[in-house]
Structures are given as C-alpha cells and as structure tokens.
Amino acid sequence: MVKDLVAAQNDFFATQKTKEVAYRKQYLKKLQEEIVAQEDSICDALYADFKKPKFESLATETQLVLAELKYAIKSVKSWSERNHVGASLLNFPSKEWVQPEPYGKVLIISPWNYPFMLSISPLIGALAAGNTAILKPSEFSPNTSKIIAQIIRKVFPPEYVTVVEGGVEASTALLAEKWEYIFFTGSTRVGKIVYKKAAEHLTPVTLELSGKNPCIVDESASIKLAAKRIAWGKFINAGQTCIAPDYILVHKNVKKALVEGLKTNIAGFYGESIEASQDFARITTSKHYEELKAMLKGQQVLFGGNYNDEDQYLEPTLVDEPQLDSTVMEGEVFGPILPIISYADKSELDEYISHYPNSLAFYVFSNTKKFQQRMMQNYSFGGGTINDTVVHITNKALPFGGVGQSGIGGYHGKHTFDLFSHHKAIVQRGNWLDPAIRYAPYNVSLKWIKKLKHFF
Ligand code: NAD
C-alpha cells in the first residue's frame, strides 16, 4: 500500500506538472477554500481529541495555517523565480543565477499537540516549492487526523498529496521508503530514529524537536506583567506546547511576587473551578498524563496539583524548588506543570541553564538591557523572546526551529519554501569570447596565476 503510494508520487513528480507555478497556486487556493469551509469541523475535531478551547483552535491552528496559505498564494510566483547574482569576471561573458527547484517526494510526520497546524503548515511550503507529499499525522489525535485525511482527499489527487493514518507501524513503513526530503516534528527520541533512516538514502531532513525551555526572571523585570505573560504561554494548550516555558529561574528577591502573580493570573484566566472552565484543555494521551502525574510525586506544590483521571484533566500546577535530578527537572515537562527555581547570582543562574542541552525556546524577563543581551548571546537555543513567551512564533519572517538537541532547520513563511527547495546554481556562458589562458599547455607565468584570488 505504502509502496504503491510512493510509486504513484514518483511517477507523478516525473511528469513535471508540479514545476508549473500556476498548478501549485491553484492547489494552494483549493486547500485554502476547503480549510475555510471546514474550519468549524476542524475545531470540533480538536475539541473531541483533547477539549481544545475553540479560541485556541482558531488562534493557534486554523488561522495560523490560513495566514501561511494566504502568504504562500501571494508569493509563490516570486519565490519560484530564478535569483540572478552578480556574474563572475572569470566566467565573462555570462549570466549567473540560483534556481529554486523542488526535491521530489516529501514525507511529513507530525505530533499530536498542535495536530492540525503542525501537519498543514509544513505541507504549504512543500507544495509551494513544487514537491509532492505524504502526510502522517499523529495517532494520538485521531479526530484531527481523520479530518486532515478528509480535507486532503477532497482537495488533492493521491499521487500529488495523500495522508497515511496510523502510529509507529505506519511511520516505520513510510520511513523504509526512499524520500527526497523528510520533515519531522516530535520528540528528540523519535527524531533520532528518523535521522538514521534518512541517512540510509542521504535524504535531507528538518527535525523540529523538543527541549527544556528556561524562563528567566531577573530582579529588574516588570513582575506583574511577567507573571501574566508566563502563565499565558505556559498554560495555553494545557502546557502541551513545544515552546512553552518549561521551568522558571527567578531571582530570589522577586520570587514571592512572581509566585503571587502567577496564582492571581491562573485564577483570573480560568476562574475558581479550573476543571469547569471552557478555556482549559486536557492532556491528550494517557501515557503523557500518567508521566505528568508521576512528576508531581514528592514535590512541594505551591498551587494546583489536582487532577481527574476520567478526562485526563491536570490542573495548572506550580512546583517549588525541585531538585535537578527529580523527574520534573530531568526531561521536558509537556503539560501544565511549572517548576520554579530561585537563583541568587549570575554564576548560579549559569549553572542551571548550562545543565541542559540547547533548548527549543528561551525566555528572559528583565528591564536591564545588558542582562537581556548577555542572556541572548551566551546560550545556544532555537529562538526566544525578551519580556514575553511564545510570541516569536507569530512572525512569519522569523525562522522557527531548534538547534543541536532541539532540532535541525527552521521554517515558516518563505523559510518553509526555501527549506523544501534545492537551490540550483546555474551559469550560462556566452560563446563570443573564449580566452586561451585556462587551457593546457599552461604558458602563463605563475606570478599571474597567483593573482587569481582577486577574481573568484
Ligand atoms: P513523538 O515523537 O512521539 O511522535 C511524533 C510522530 O512520530 C507521530 O506521528 C508518531 O506516530 C511518530 N512516531 C512515534 N514513534 C515512532 C517511531 N518509533 N518511529 C517512527 N515514527 C514514530 O512526539 P509526540 O509525543 O507526538 O509529540 C510531542 C513531542 O513533540 C514533544 O517532545 C514536543 O516538544 C515535540 N514537538 C516539537 C515541536 C517543534 O516544532 N519543535 C512542535 C510540537 C511538538
């Protein structure tokens, strides 16, 4: 079955149809129309999967995708054009340019936490660049996976774009095939499996992975605003956001005020009974739910900590001063648990941050320019925000992705198009001049050849 789909996409790509910009644009528009028509059903599917509030489904899934589509439809023609560069004197007479061209068949594997956006957003760039694609959404968001499959089936012929639903088995079968590009979003553990499979065919990859994102609150920060913005970025999607603040490092002198601010804002956002709030999602998978509950064992809870097994509800929870070797501080916290650790000085702060490999995101709350700069310069991470959380994802001009353990490659906007394009270098020589100097027998003095460096 997978083999047939792959063969059909190979044959279709060979027809050169996807190299026509008008063809790509026509299908991007069809996709746009279908998503607009199905927007409510997509939100319903997300609600069925993990009670995702409709506001969050619109803001962080469908509208983000529609913005990417609008931009791609408007720009695909100019993105696809050849880019002329200054011609080299050594090639005189010549024209020289970079021609973006599609790789061929692309495999996109996505996770369950933003199951619609993280499937369709890379697909838009892959198609704008002229590739064919097979999408493998997560088995843990089955309702969203189903509606993605329906939309794709309605819009595209399967030899152009198709969806393969399923879990590890489906993924493994797909990864056994040869792809021209693989785009994976998910855990670092599975990212390594994908990278190994891709290496067998020297297939280029983008790996959008995870990390433990520090959120630093300096003594000079505007604490009330910091508390509000941290609570928002942490508890949106019930903390199941790859760029959510993972843990707080707060200067000891402002810890009390920050904790109070966080409590006030959580209550302000979700009311007295958070479980009854329509604005707070559930934990999507039972495996992650159990792991999160286990993280709370033996911890000092400053706020929250309640849960309900019936629908995998876990309250926004603040954990006080956990040890670095405790479960909550060992790996990524992919849920509404926020550890808070205080520091006394810069060296202590540095020790905490350096304890972990490159994070995907990095947040600094401070009103001291020097401190902001030092934090942004000294550490390696995917992307970050000063005095807010999460929002660096909203600007399509900024590449979104990790570094080191948190991933390879960045996308969004034109970056996605560039990522899914091979940038072919072309030189077109003129025939009216052909100096003899480069041809053997070499009769030119070596003194002249040593001046070549000025001409490359
Ligand atoms: P996951 O790695 O378990 O699964 C992701 C995808 O890989 C799913 O489609 C799954 O079916 C497939 N998969 C799982 N095991 C596999 C295997 N052994 N072989 C091949 N394929 C396999 O991730 P998840 O639990 O779905 O998502 C949560 C993780 O994703 C978190 O760690 C989060 O930080 C990360 N994430 C990263 C980003 C980003 O943009 N960097 C965005 C969202 C989530």
Side-chain angles (χ1 to χ4, degrees):
M1 150 95 174
V2 162
K3 284 206 178 308
D4 295 342
L5 289 172
V6 166
Q9 293 216 346
N10 271 334
D11 292 345
F12 181 63
F13 186 72
T15 65
Q16 305 285 326
K17 199 74 198 152
T18 64
K19 302 246 174 103
E20 294 168 20
V21 173
Y23 185 81
R24 303 178 197 173
K25 198 166 170 174
Q26 171 199 341
Y27 273 98
L28 288 171
K29 280 186 178 164
K30 283 188 189 184
L31 180 60
Q32 184 187 39
E33 276 164 29
E34 193 55 23
I35 292 174
V36 169
Q38 299 281 350
E39 195 168 21
D40 283 341
S41 309
I42 296 164
C43 294
D44 291 346
L46 287 158
Y47 189 82
D49 279 334
F50 58 110
K51 288 200 173 167
K52 182 153 178 155
K54 188 156 185 177
F55 176 93
E56 290 183 13
S57 291
L58 292 170
T60 68
E61 306 256 8
T62 56
Q63 289 295 309
L64 264 182
V65 160
L66 287 170
E68 287 275 354
L69 264 169
K70 189 174 163 214
Y71 187 45
I73 290 166
K74 190 179 114 201
S75 317
V76 60
K77 187 166 176 295
S78 62
W79 290 346
S80 309
E81 279 164 3
R82 58 173 70 164
N83 246 321
H84 281 273
V85 298
S88 162
L89 253 189
L90 294 172
N91 297 334
F92 184 80
S94 71
K95 283 183 185 162
E96 308 187 7
W97 66 87
V98 179
Q99 177 66 61
E101 66 162 18
Y103 283 103
K105 303 181 306 299
V106 163
L107 171 63
I108 298 170
I109 302 177
S110 51
W112 48 261
N113 62 327
Y114 287 83
F116 185 75
M117 189 264 285
L118 292 173
S119 300
I120 306 296
S121 183
L123 177 70
I124 295 164
L127 300 185
N131 301 282
T132 69
I134 294 188
L135 258 180
K136 210 299 281 171
S138 174
E139 67 277 28
F140 294 116
S141 40
N143 295 288
T144 313
S145 173
K146 200 165 148 208
I147 196 157
I148 290 173
Q150 274 168 17
I151 291 171
I152 297 297
R153 214 176 301 127
K154 183 151 181 213
V155 173
F156 300 96
E159 62 273 23
Y160 185 15
V161 186
T162 195
V163 172
V164 172
E165 288 188 86
V168 178
E169 262 176 48
S171 234
T172 306
L174 286 163
L175 287 168
E177 299 297 320
K178 179 181 179 301
W179 300 90
E180 281 70 51
Y181 203 97
I182 300 177
F183 187 104
F184 171 81
T185 308
S187 61
T188 300
R189 180 185 71 81
V190 180
K192 289 179 184 174
I193 297 173
V194 172
Y195 205 11
K196 272 192 193 151
K197 292 307 288 180
E200 287 175 14
H201 298 288
L202 290 180
T203 300
V205 292
T206 296
L207 301 176
E208 295 285 336
L209 309 178
S210 53
K212 206 160 172 64
N213 310 318
C215 179
I216 299 130
V217 183
D218 169 44
E219 232 182 330
S220 72
S222 307
I223 299 298
K224 271 191 179 169
L225 193 57
K228 195 176 191 180
R229 291 176 174 176
I230 294 169
W232 170 76
K234 178 67 189 183
F235 300 115
I236 194 167
N237 217 39
Q240 301 164 107
T241 304
C242 55
I243 52 168
D246 188 289
Y247 63 104
I248 292 181
L249 291 171
V250 58
H251 192 280
K252 63 179 178 44
N253 293 349
V254 289
K255 178 182 167 189
K256 194 163 175 272
L258 183 76
V259 170
E260 285 316 307
L262 287 167
K263 288 181 185 173
T264 307
N265 280 293
I266 297 169
F269 294 167
Y270 308 115
E272 283 203 354
S273 166
I274 303 176
E275 195 172 356
S277 166
Q278 289 299 302
D279 297 329
F280 188 70
R282 298 300 184 257
I283 306 305
T284 318
T285 80
S286 53
K287 179 176 162 279
H288 282 88
Y289 174 67
E290 292 304 331
E291 281 172 6
L292 287 164
K293 275 198 325 186
M295 285 180 187
L296 293 178
K297 288 218 174 87
Q299 296 297 348
Q300 185 70 34
V301 168
L302 290 169
F303 181 91
N306 297 310
Y307 51 84
N308 183 350
D309 293 347
E310 248 169 53
D311 68 346
Q312 294 175 182
Y313 161 76
L314 179 58
E315 201 169 20
T317 300
L318 307 178
V319 169
D320 195 25
E321 308 286 351
Q323 296 295 312
L324 288 192
D325 60 359
S326 61
T327 359
V328 78
M329 289 309 291
E330 266 179 347
E332 176 188 25
V333 180
F334 211 54
I337 299 175
L338 185 54
I340 300 171
I341 298 174
S342 56
Y343 69 89
D345 54 37
K346 283 173 189 153
S347 70
E348 214 180 324
L349 178 62
D350 186 59
E351 233 172 82
Y352 283 122
I353 301 172
S354 306
H355 182 76
Y356 299 99
N358 331 63
S359 58
L360 181 62
F362 193 96
Y363 303 112
V364 176
F365 286 84
S366 169
N367 286 322
T368 312
K369 278 249 149 42
K370 226 169 148 193
F371 183 82
Q372 295 175 356
Q373 271 169 10
R374 195 172 78 84
M375 289 292 107
M376 288 292 147
Q377 268 171 26
N378 285 12
Y379 302 100
S380 169
F381 51 86
T385 304
I386 299 166
N387 287 332
D388 206 343
T389 59
V390 176
V391 296
H392 58 286
I393 200 179
T394 59
N395 184 346
K396 56 185 179 298
L398 295 175
F400 172 68
V403 61
Q405 291 292 297
S406 58
I408 298 174
Y411 74 123
H412 285 178
K414 183 170 186 293
H415 300 288
T416 322
F417 175 90
D418 286 337
L419 188 110
F420 282 115
S421 301
H422 166 61
H423 298 271
K424 207 184 226 174
I426 313 278
V427 172
Q428 182 184 40
R429 291 293 315 274
N431 288 343
W432 57 271
L433 185 70
D434 196 33
I437 183 169
R438 73 177 181 188
Y439 301 109
Y442 304 123
N443 292 326
V444 180
S445 142
L446 292 185
K447 189 179 90 188
W448 288 107
I449 295 304
K450 283 189 175 176
K451 295 197 184 302
L452 258 183
K453 59 180 168 291
H454 302 299
F455 297 95
F456 278 111

